[in-house]
Amino acid sequence: MNTPLALTNITNADLHCHSKVSDGTLEPEALAARAKANGVELWALTDHDEIGGQQRAMDAALALGMPYLTGCEISVTFAGKVVHIVGLGFDHHDAAMNAGLKDTRGGRTERAKEMSDGLAKVGIKDAYEGSLKYVSNPALISRTHFARFLVEAGHCSDVSDVFRRYLTEGKPGYVEHKWAKLGDAVRWITEAQGIAVIAHPARYGFTPTEEYALITEFIAHGGRGMEVVTGSHTLADAVKYTETALEFDLLASRGSDFHSPTESHTDLGKLDFLPGRLKPVWAALESRIHHPA
Ligand code: AMP
Ligand code: MN
Ligand code: MN
Ligand code: MN
């Protein structure tokens, strides 16, 4: 068992990444090995809307001597936009959490078929069937799987290009979708003894007023954390959200958002450390960390 003192010394925590259980390309065990090889001292797998990979990730991490926190990234609709809420340290057997996530991912297949219809109108045939080839978990077809198919089929040069031309608001393959409510997502995590964290806040393109509403409502529902250093932020974003986390007294999180060795520019554990002025979210999750025997 690590002592609390040793825990506060952790700097290379990576608390955000994806496996084949959602839209990553590696199995949970391969991610654990990669995190360990990259020097990660505390790890969490955070698949989208799905915790079916948690036990495998935890078992693999502990076998490698790497402390583990349970994780998940929940898709939420807030002010007409998609916001991601990361849950850390929850009980992955919690019934309400499992039921809530099942509902959240429920509409994905229908949405994917509509996306495919939209793409067919601009001459891209059978995108649903094509994308399914990239899906490991049938309950979790995502835009990322469409992007991989469109690259393979030669419609675009890379995944970012697909998002820009086909899969974002106003583009032919974009389908409006109603995800979980902010309060529900925060409650599922919190009532399962975890901490809710606003993922990559710089990514939403909110106005200052909308962002203020997001943060204050998140806190009112019991949310306590915010990602500051993430593969989805620039250095300038990290500087800005360091101040935001301090202003709202939020715990700070750090994670690569790694999806794939060929698609992700930030590898597991290969990112800046949290600024020393911030309170790391893992210091508040000591009792929730699973330690190697
Ligand atoms: P979905 O949950 O199906 O809407 O898919 C969202 C996923 O698409 C995100 O988690 C990212 O992995 C990926 N994604 C979103 N925007 C982009 C982008 N501009 N470039 C590459 N991947 C993206
Ligand atoms: Mn993703
Ligand atoms: Mn995200
Ligand atoms: Mn993510």
Side-chain angles (χ1 to χ4, degrees):
M1 235 2 221
N2 280 7
T3 64
L5 182 64
L7 265 180
T8 56
N9 286 339
I10 288 177
T11 49
N12 197 356
D14 191 328
L15 306 180
H16 189 148
C17 68
H18 300 272
S19 76
K20 278 190 170 186
V21 171
S22 62
D23 61 347
T25 62
L26 300 182
E27 299 288 358
E29 292 80 6
L31 285 168
R34 194 175 180 101
K36 176 73 183 175
N38 287 355
V40 171
E41 299 164 300
L42 173 65
W43 181 54
L45 170 66
T46 56
D47 279 310
H48 296 284
D49 308 324
E50 167 71 271
I51 52 181
Q54 289 305 304
Q55 196 62 52
R56 288 172 60 192
M58 188 188 309
D59 291 348
L62 298 184
L64 291 162
M66 183 168 59
Y68 187 78
L69 274 172
T70 56
C72 184
E73 183 176 20
I74 306 181
S75 312
V76 159
T77 303
F78 180 84
K81 288 207 170 103
V82 185
V83 167
H84 287 169
I85 299 296
V86 163
L88 296 171
F90 51 83
D91 167 11
H92 62 297
H93 300 297
D94 183 85
M97 174 88 174
N98 277 279
L101 292 175
K102 189 165 185 230
D103 277 352
T104 304
R105 57 182 183 260
R108 280 187 179 268
T109 297
E110 204 47 49
R111 169 197 188 227
K113 289 179 182 162
E114 285 178 44
M115 287 168 60
S116 191
D117 293 343
L119 291 168
K121 289 190 185 125
V122 294
I124 298 172
K125 305 274 180 256
D126 301 324
Y128 175 68
E129 293 73 14
S131 304
L132 272 182
K133 282 190 290 174
Y134 293 87
V135 172
S136 304
N137 173 2
L140 220 112
I141 183 161
S142 84
R143 285 185 289 162
T144 315
H145 302 110
F146 276 79
R148 291 184 185 135
F149 166 68
L150 263 71
V151 171
E152 181 217 62
H155 297 286
C156 292
S157 55
D158 62 34
V159 161
S160 312
D161 192 32
V162 183
F163 274 90
R164 204 162 40 244
R165 286 166 58 192
Y166 293 106
L167 300 182
T168 40
E169 227 175 306
K171 300 298 160 65
Y174 187 78
V175 172
E176 193 77 44
H177 193 73
K178 211 156 165 280
W179 301 104
K181 292 195 180 91
L182 178 65
D184 287 341
V186 173
R187 232 173 345 267
W188 299 331
I189 296 163
T190 310
E191 290 182 0
Q193 303 170 69
I195 289 184
V197 172
I198 299 176
H200 42 61
R203 280 245 312 251
Y204 307 123
F206 280 142
T207 63
T209 310
E210 287 169 335
E211 184 172 87
Y212 182 84
L214 169 67
I215 297 171
T216 52
E217 287 189 35
F218 170 75
I219 292 171
H221 288 300
R224 295 176 60 197
M226 171 177 277
E227 286 184 346
V228 174
V229 175
T230 127
S232 299
H233 278 177
T234 63
L235 181 58
D237 294 333
V239 169
K240 174 180 171 190
Y241 286 98
T242 293
E243 297 309 322
T244 308
L246 289 168
E247 180 186 346
F248 290 92
D249 198 24
L250 289 167
L251 298 160
S253 194
R254 175 182 188 267
S256 57
D257 209 353
F258 181 80
H259 283 70
S260 151
T262 54
E263 294 164 13
S264 301
H265 50 80
T266 305
D267 205 339
L268 286 157
K270 302 282 186 188
L271 59 174
D272 291 331
F273 295 124
L274 283 183
R277 294 186 293 152
L278 295 172
K279 286 184 214 153
V281 67
W282 53 90
L285 283 165
E286 271 176 29
S287 66
R288 306 296 308 158
I289 296 177
H290 298 262
H291 290 278

Short mmCIF file of all heavy atoms in Angstrom, two decimals, residues 16 18 22-24 48-49 73 75 82 84 108 111 115 140-148 158-164 167-168 174-175 177 179 200 203 232 257 259 263, ligand 1:
data_model
loop_
_atom_site.label_atom_id
_atom_site.label_comp_id
_atom_site.label_asym_id
_atom_site.label_seq_id
_atom_site.Cartn_x
_atom_site.Cartn_y
_atom_site.Cartn_z
N HIS A 16 -7.04 9.99 -18.73
CA HIS A 16 -7.98 10.12 -19.86
C HIS A 16 -7.40 9.41 -21.09
O HIS A 16 -6.39 9.84 -21.65
CB HIS A 16 -8.21 11.61 -20.16
CG HIS A 16 -9.32 11.86 -21.15
ND1 HIS A 16 -10.11 13.00 -21.10
CD2 HIS A 16 -9.78 11.14 -22.20
CE1 HIS A 16 -10.99 12.96 -22.08
NE2 HIS A 16 -10.81 11.84 -22.77
N HIS A 18 -8.67 6.13 -24.35
CA HIS A 18 -9.74 5.29 -24.92
C HIS A 18 -9.20 3.97 -25.46
O HIS A 18 -8.15 3.94 -26.10
CB HIS A 18 -10.46 6.04 -26.03
CG HIS A 18 -11.07 7.31 -25.54
ND1 HIS A 18 -12.33 7.36 -25.01
CD2 HIS A 18 -10.57 8.57 -25.43
CE1 HIS A 18 -12.59 8.59 -24.62
NE2 HIS A 18 -11.53 9.34 -24.85
N SER A 22 -14.40 1.65 -26.63
CA SER A 22 -15.11 2.77 -27.28
C SER A 22 -14.44 3.05 -28.61
O SER A 22 -14.48 2.20 -29.50
CB SER A 22 -15.19 4.01 -26.37
OG SER A 22 -13.93 4.54 -26.03
N ASP A 23 -13.77 4.20 -28.76
CA ASP A 23 -13.24 4.54 -30.08
C ASP A 23 -11.72 4.57 -30.15
O ASP A 23 -11.15 5.19 -31.04
CB ASP A 23 -13.83 5.86 -30.59
CG ASP A 23 -13.50 7.04 -29.69
OD1 ASP A 23 -13.03 6.82 -28.56
OD2 ASP A 23 -13.70 8.19 -30.12
N GLY A 24 -11.05 3.88 -29.23
CA GLY A 24 -9.61 3.72 -29.34
C GLY A 24 -9.28 2.52 -30.22
O GLY A 24 -10.18 1.75 -30.58
N HIS A 48 -15.70 6.24 -23.80
CA HIS A 48 -16.93 7.03 -23.94
C HIS A 48 -18.14 6.20 -23.51
O HIS A 48 -18.39 5.12 -24.07
CB HIS A 48 -17.15 7.42 -25.40
CG HIS A 48 -16.11 8.31 -25.99
ND1 HIS A 48 -16.04 9.65 -25.70
CD2 HIS A 48 -15.11 8.07 -26.86
CE1 HIS A 48 -15.03 10.19 -26.38
NE2 HIS A 48 -14.44 9.24 -27.08
N ASP A 49 -18.92 6.71 -22.56
CA ASP A 49 -20.25 6.19 -22.21
C ASP A 49 -20.26 4.68 -21.92
O ASP A 49 -21.31 4.04 -22.10
CB ASP A 49 -21.26 6.47 -23.36
CG ASP A 49 -21.27 7.93 -23.76
OD1 ASP A 49 -21.11 8.78 -22.88
OD2 ASP A 49 -21.42 8.21 -24.97
N GLU A 73 -15.82 8.57 -19.74
CA GLU A 73 -16.06 9.91 -20.30
C GLU A 73 -17.50 9.94 -20.81
O GLU A 73 -17.83 9.25 -21.78
CB GLU A 73 -15.07 10.21 -21.43
CG GLU A 73 -15.26 11.62 -22.01
CD GLU A 73 -14.22 12.00 -23.07
OE1 GLU A 73 -13.58 11.10 -23.65
OE2 GLU A 73 -14.07 13.21 -23.31
N SER A 75 -20.88 11.51 -22.44
CA SER A 75 -21.36 12.52 -23.40
C SER A 75 -22.60 13.19 -22.83
O SER A 75 -23.57 12.52 -22.46
CB SER A 75 -21.74 11.86 -24.73
OG SER A 75 -20.74 10.98 -25.17
N VAL A 82 -22.30 19.52 -27.22
CA VAL A 82 -21.85 18.31 -26.55
C VAL A 82 -20.71 18.68 -25.60
O VAL A 82 -19.73 19.31 -26.01
CB VAL A 82 -21.35 17.25 -27.55
CG1 VAL A 82 -21.00 15.96 -26.82
CG2 VAL A 82 -22.39 16.98 -28.61
N HIS A 84 -18.16 16.89 -22.56
CA HIS A 84 -17.74 15.61 -22.01
C HIS A 84 -17.41 15.73 -20.53
O HIS A 84 -16.67 16.64 -20.14
CB HIS A 84 -16.54 15.06 -22.79
CG HIS A 84 -16.91 14.56 -24.15
ND1 HIS A 84 -15.99 14.22 -25.11
CD2 HIS A 84 -18.13 14.29 -24.69
CE1 HIS A 84 -16.62 13.78 -26.20
NE2 HIS A 84 -17.92 13.83 -25.97
N ARG A 108 -26.97 5.37 -30.16
CA ARG A 108 -25.85 5.49 -31.10
C ARG A 108 -26.07 4.78 -32.43
O ARG A 108 -25.66 5.28 -33.48
CB ARG A 108 -24.55 5.00 -30.45
CG ARG A 108 -23.91 6.03 -29.53
CD ARG A 108 -22.54 5.58 -29.04
NE ARG A 108 -21.91 6.58 -28.19
CZ ARG A 108 -21.07 7.53 -28.64
NH1 ARG A 108 -20.74 7.58 -29.91
NH2 ARG A 108 -20.56 8.40 -27.80
N ARG A 111 -28.48 6.81 -34.57
CA ARG A 111 -27.74 8.01 -35.02
C ARG A 111 -26.78 7.67 -36.16
O ARG A 111 -26.68 8.38 -37.14
CB ARG A 111 -26.98 8.58 -33.82
CG ARG A 111 -25.96 9.67 -34.15
CD ARG A 111 -25.04 9.80 -32.95
NE ARG A 111 -24.12 10.92 -32.99
CZ ARG A 111 -22.82 10.80 -32.70
NH1 ARG A 111 -22.29 9.62 -32.38
NH2 ARG A 111 -22.05 11.86 -32.71
N MET A 115 -26.51 9.20 -39.83
CA MET A 115 -25.26 9.79 -40.35
C MET A 115 -24.96 9.22 -41.73
O MET A 115 -24.58 9.93 -42.67
CB MET A 115 -24.09 9.49 -39.40
CG MET A 115 -24.12 10.28 -38.10
SD MET A 115 -22.92 9.66 -36.87
CE MET A 115 -21.38 9.87 -37.74
N LEU A 140 -21.24 0.83 -29.25
CA LEU A 140 -20.53 2.09 -29.21
C LEU A 140 -19.94 2.53 -30.55
O LEU A 140 -18.76 2.81 -30.67
CB LEU A 140 -19.45 2.07 -28.12
CG LEU A 140 -19.52 3.46 -27.52
CD1 LEU A 140 -20.03 3.45 -26.12
CD2 LEU A 140 -18.27 4.19 -27.68
N ILE A 141 -20.82 2.60 -31.55
CA ILE A 141 -20.35 3.15 -32.83
C ILE A 141 -20.27 4.67 -32.68
O ILE A 141 -21.18 5.30 -32.15
CB ILE A 141 -21.25 2.70 -34.00
CG1 ILE A 141 -20.69 3.24 -35.32
CG2 ILE A 141 -22.72 3.11 -33.80
CD1 ILE A 141 -21.22 2.51 -36.54
N SER A 142 -19.15 5.25 -33.09
CA SER A 142 -18.95 6.69 -32.88
C SER A 142 -18.49 7.35 -34.18
O SER A 142 -18.18 6.67 -35.16
CB SER A 142 -17.92 6.93 -31.79
OG SER A 142 -16.61 6.86 -32.33
N ARG A 143 -18.44 8.66 -34.14
CA ARG A 143 -17.98 9.40 -35.32
C ARG A 143 -16.56 8.99 -35.70
O ARG A 143 -16.19 9.01 -36.87
CB ARG A 143 -18.04 10.90 -35.05
CG ARG A 143 -19.45 11.45 -35.10
CD ARG A 143 -19.46 12.95 -34.97
NE ARG A 143 -19.11 13.38 -33.63
CZ ARG A 143 -18.70 14.61 -33.29
NH1 ARG A 143 -18.56 15.52 -34.23
NH2 ARG A 143 -18.44 14.91 -32.04
N THR A 144 -15.76 8.61 -34.70
CA THR A 144 -14.39 8.20 -34.98
C THR A 144 -14.34 7.00 -35.92
O THR A 144 -13.48 6.91 -36.80
CB THR A 144 -13.67 7.85 -33.66
OG1 THR A 144 -13.97 8.87 -32.71
CG2 THR A 144 -12.19 7.75 -33.84
N HIS A 145 -15.28 6.05 -35.74
CA HIS A 145 -15.30 4.87 -36.61
C HIS A 145 -15.67 5.26 -38.05
O HIS A 145 -15.10 4.72 -39.00
CB HIS A 145 -16.27 3.82 -36.05
CG HIS A 145 -15.93 3.38 -34.65
ND1 HIS A 145 -16.71 3.71 -33.56
CD2 HIS A 145 -14.88 2.69 -34.17
CE1 HIS A 145 -16.14 3.22 -32.46
NE2 HIS A 145 -15.03 2.60 -32.80
N PHE A 146 -16.59 6.20 -38.18
CA PHE A 146 -16.91 6.73 -39.52
C PHE A 146 -15.67 7.38 -40.13
O PHE A 146 -15.39 7.21 -41.31
CB PHE A 146 -18.05 7.76 -39.44
CG PHE A 146 -19.42 7.15 -39.46
CD1 PHE A 146 -19.96 6.60 -38.30
CD2 PHE A 146 -20.17 7.11 -40.62
CE1 PHE A 146 -21.23 6.02 -38.31
CE2 PHE A 146 -21.44 6.53 -40.64
CZ PHE A 146 -21.96 5.99 -39.48
N ALA A 147 -14.95 8.14 -39.31
CA ALA A 147 -13.77 8.85 -39.82
C ALA A 147 -12.75 7.85 -40.35
O ALA A 147 -12.17 8.04 -41.42
CB ALA A 147 -13.18 9.71 -38.72
N ARG A 148 -12.54 6.76 -39.61
CA ARG A 148 -11.56 5.74 -40.06
C ARG A 148 -12.00 5.13 -41.38
O ARG A 148 -11.19 4.91 -42.28
CB ARG A 148 -11.38 4.67 -38.98
CG ARG A 148 -10.68 5.24 -37.75
CD ARG A 148 -10.39 4.21 -36.66
NE ARG A 148 -9.83 4.94 -35.51
CZ ARG A 148 -10.18 4.77 -34.25
NH1 ARG A 148 -11.08 3.85 -33.92
NH2 ARG A 148 -9.64 5.49 -33.30
N ASP A 158 -6.97 12.25 -43.78
CA ASP A 158 -6.82 11.80 -42.38
C ASP A 158 -8.10 12.08 -41.60
O ASP A 158 -9.02 12.72 -42.10
CB ASP A 158 -5.59 12.43 -41.71
CG ASP A 158 -5.68 13.95 -41.64
OD1 ASP A 158 -6.78 14.48 -41.48
OD2 ASP A 158 -4.62 14.59 -41.77
N VAL A 159 -8.10 11.58 -40.36
CA VAL A 159 -9.29 11.63 -39.52
C VAL A 159 -9.74 13.08 -39.26
O VAL A 159 -10.94 13.39 -39.32
CB VAL A 159 -8.99 10.85 -38.22
CG1 VAL A 159 -9.96 11.20 -37.11
CG2 VAL A 159 -9.02 9.34 -38.49
N SER A 160 -8.80 13.98 -39.02
CA SER A 160 -9.17 15.39 -38.76
C SER A 160 -9.88 15.99 -39.97
O SER A 160 -10.84 16.75 -39.84
CB SER A 160 -7.96 16.26 -38.46
OG SER A 160 -7.15 15.66 -37.55
N ASP A 161 -9.38 15.63 -41.14
CA ASP A 161 -9.97 16.10 -42.39
C ASP A 161 -11.43 15.62 -42.52
O ASP A 161 -12.31 16.37 -42.94
CB ASP A 161 -9.10 15.55 -43.54
CG ASP A 161 -9.42 16.20 -44.88
OD1 ASP A 161 -9.81 17.38 -44.88
OD2 ASP A 161 -9.28 15.51 -45.91
N VAL A 162 -11.68 14.38 -42.12
CA VAL A 162 -13.05 13.85 -42.17
C VAL A 162 -13.96 14.66 -41.26
O VAL A 162 -15.07 15.05 -41.65
CB VAL A 162 -13.13 12.37 -41.73
CG1 VAL A 162 -14.56 11.85 -41.87
CG2 VAL A 162 -12.18 11.49 -42.51
N PHE A 163 -13.50 14.92 -40.03
CA PHE A 163 -14.32 15.69 -39.09
C PHE A 163 -14.63 17.06 -39.67
O PHE A 163 -15.78 17.52 -39.65
CB PHE A 163 -13.64 15.81 -37.72
CG PHE A 163 -13.93 14.62 -36.83
CD1 PHE A 163 -13.12 13.50 -36.85
CD2 PHE A 163 -15.04 14.62 -35.99
CE1 PHE A 163 -13.40 12.40 -36.06
CE2 PHE A 163 -15.33 13.52 -35.19
CZ PHE A 163 -14.51 12.40 -35.22
N ARG A 164 -13.61 17.70 -40.21
CA ARG A 164 -13.78 19.04 -40.76
C ARG A 164 -14.79 19.05 -41.92
O ARG A 164 -15.67 19.89 -41.98
CB ARG A 164 -12.42 19.54 -41.25
CG ARG A 164 -12.29 21.04 -41.31
CD ARG A 164 -10.82 21.49 -41.37
NE ARG A 164 -9.98 20.67 -42.20
CZ ARG A 164 -8.94 19.93 -41.75
NH1 ARG A 164 -8.62 19.94 -40.47
NH2 ARG A 164 -8.22 19.20 -42.57
N LEU A 167 -18.18 15.55 -40.54
CA LEU A 167 -18.80 15.05 -39.30
C LEU A 167 -19.06 16.09 -38.22
O LEU A 167 -19.43 15.75 -37.11
CB LEU A 167 -17.91 13.94 -38.70
CG LEU A 167 -17.68 12.70 -39.58
CD1 LEU A 167 -16.83 11.68 -38.84
CD2 LEU A 167 -19.00 12.08 -40.01
N THR A 168 -18.87 17.37 -38.56
CA THR A 168 -19.14 18.41 -37.56
C THR A 168 -20.39 19.20 -37.96
O THR A 168 -20.85 19.09 -39.10
CB THR A 168 -17.91 19.31 -37.38
OG1 THR A 168 -17.32 19.56 -38.66
CG2 THR A 168 -16.87 18.65 -36.51
N TYR A 174 -23.29 14.95 -40.11
CA TYR A 174 -23.53 15.34 -38.71
C TYR A 174 -25.00 15.16 -38.36
O TYR A 174 -25.88 15.61 -39.10
CB TYR A 174 -23.12 16.79 -38.45
CG TYR A 174 -23.20 17.15 -36.98
CD1 TYR A 174 -22.20 16.75 -36.10
CD2 TYR A 174 -24.29 17.84 -36.48
CE1 TYR A 174 -22.28 17.05 -34.75
CE2 TYR A 174 -24.38 18.15 -35.13
CZ TYR A 174 -23.38 17.75 -34.27
OH TYR A 174 -23.46 18.04 -32.93
N VAL A 175 -25.27 14.51 -37.26
CA VAL A 175 -26.63 14.32 -36.79
C VAL A 175 -26.72 14.84 -35.35
O VAL A 175 -25.95 14.41 -34.48
CB VAL A 175 -27.04 12.83 -36.85
CG1 VAL A 175 -28.38 12.60 -36.18
CG2 VAL A 175 -27.10 12.35 -38.30
N HIS A 177 -27.78 15.11 -31.68
CA HIS A 177 -28.12 13.99 -30.80
C HIS A 177 -28.32 14.48 -29.37
O HIS A 177 -27.65 15.41 -28.94
CB HIS A 177 -27.00 12.94 -30.83
CG HIS A 177 -27.38 11.63 -30.22
ND1 HIS A 177 -28.25 10.76 -30.84
CD2 HIS A 177 -27.05 11.07 -29.05
CE1 HIS A 177 -28.41 9.71 -30.06
NE2 HIS A 177 -27.70 9.87 -28.97
N TRP A 179 -27.71 13.73 -25.69
CA TRP A 179 -26.93 12.88 -24.80
C TRP A 179 -27.46 13.02 -23.37
O TRP A 179 -28.57 13.53 -23.18
CB TRP A 179 -25.45 13.26 -24.88
CG TRP A 179 -24.87 13.13 -26.26
CD1 TRP A 179 -24.58 14.14 -27.13
CD2 TRP A 179 -24.51 11.91 -26.95
NE1 TRP A 179 -24.06 13.64 -28.30
CE2 TRP A 179 -24.01 12.28 -28.22
CE3 TRP A 179 -24.57 10.55 -26.62
CZ2 TRP A 179 -23.56 11.33 -29.15
CZ3 TRP A 179 -24.12 9.61 -27.54
CH2 TRP A 179 -23.63 10.00 -28.78
N HIS A 200 -11.52 18.52 -21.13
CA HIS A 200 -11.01 19.49 -22.13
C HIS A 200 -11.90 20.72 -22.35
O HIS A 200 -12.47 20.89 -23.43
CB HIS A 200 -10.75 18.79 -23.47
CG HIS A 200 -11.81 17.79 -23.91
ND1 HIS A 200 -13.12 18.16 -24.14
CD2 HIS A 200 -11.75 16.46 -24.14
CE1 HIS A 200 -13.81 17.09 -24.51
NE2 HIS A 200 -13.00 16.05 -24.51
N ARG A 203 -12.26 22.92 -25.60
CA ARG A 203 -12.72 22.37 -26.88
C ARG A 203 -14.14 22.78 -27.28
O ARG A 203 -14.57 22.54 -28.41
CB ARG A 203 -12.68 20.84 -26.82
CG ARG A 203 -11.32 20.22 -27.03
CD ARG A 203 -11.21 19.39 -28.29
NE ARG A 203 -12.30 18.44 -28.49
CZ ARG A 203 -12.18 17.13 -28.37
NH1 ARG A 203 -11.03 16.60 -28.03
NH2 ARG A 203 -13.20 16.33 -28.59
N SER A 232 -5.86 17.41 -25.53
CA SER A 232 -6.81 18.21 -26.30
C SER A 232 -6.64 19.70 -26.07
O SER A 232 -7.43 20.50 -26.57
CB SER A 232 -8.25 17.82 -25.94
OG SER A 232 -8.49 16.47 -26.24
N ASP A 257 -5.84 11.85 -23.44
CA ASP A 257 -6.93 11.61 -24.41
C ASP A 257 -6.41 10.76 -25.58
O ASP A 257 -6.86 10.90 -26.72
CB ASP A 257 -7.55 12.92 -24.90
CG ASP A 257 -9.01 12.77 -25.29
OD1 ASP A 257 -9.52 11.64 -25.30
OD2 ASP A 257 -9.64 13.80 -25.59
N HIS A 259 -6.00 7.90 -28.20
CA HIS A 259 -6.91 6.98 -28.87
C HIS A 259 -6.17 5.91 -29.67
O HIS A 259 -6.67 4.79 -29.79
CB HIS A 259 -7.82 7.71 -29.86
CG HIS A 259 -8.96 8.47 -29.24
ND1 HIS A 259 -8.80 9.61 -28.50
CD2 HIS A 259 -10.31 8.25 -29.28
CE1 HIS A 259 -9.98 10.07 -28.11
NE2 HIS A 259 -10.91 9.26 -28.56
N GLU A 263 -3.10 7.91 -34.75
CA GLU A 263 -3.97 9.09 -34.88
C GLU A 263 -3.72 10.15 -33.81
O GLU A 263 -4.03 11.32 -34.02
CB GLU A 263 -5.44 8.68 -34.79
CG GLU A 263 -5.91 7.82 -35.93
CD GLU A 263 -7.24 7.13 -35.62
OE1 GLU A 263 -7.91 7.48 -34.64
OE2 GLU A 263 -7.58 6.19 -36.37
P1 AMP B 1 -19.07 10.77 -30.90
O1 AMP B 1 -19.09 10.44 -29.44
O2 AMP B 1 -19.56 9.65 -31.76
O3 AMP B 1 -19.75 12.08 -31.22
O4 AMP B 1 -17.53 10.94 -31.32
C1 AMP B 1 -16.73 11.85 -30.63
C2 AMP B 1 -15.28 11.48 -30.82
O5 AMP B 1 -14.83 11.93 -32.08
C3 AMP B 1 -14.37 12.20 -29.84
O6 AMP B 1 -14.29 11.52 -28.65
C4 AMP B 1 -13.06 12.20 -30.55
O7 AMP B 1 -12.42 10.95 -30.36
C5 AMP B 1 -13.46 12.28 -31.99
N1 AMP B 1 -13.33 13.65 -32.54
C6 AMP B 1 -14.16 14.69 -32.35
N2 AMP B 1 -13.75 15.77 -33.04
C7 AMP B 1 -12.61 15.39 -33.70
C8 AMP B 1 -11.70 16.04 -34.60
N3 AMP B 1 -11.89 17.31 -34.97
N4 AMP B 1 -10.65 15.32 -35.05
C9 AMP B 1 -10.46 14.04 -34.68
N5 AMP B 1 -11.29 13.38 -33.84
C10 AMP B 1 -12.34 14.04 -33.37
#
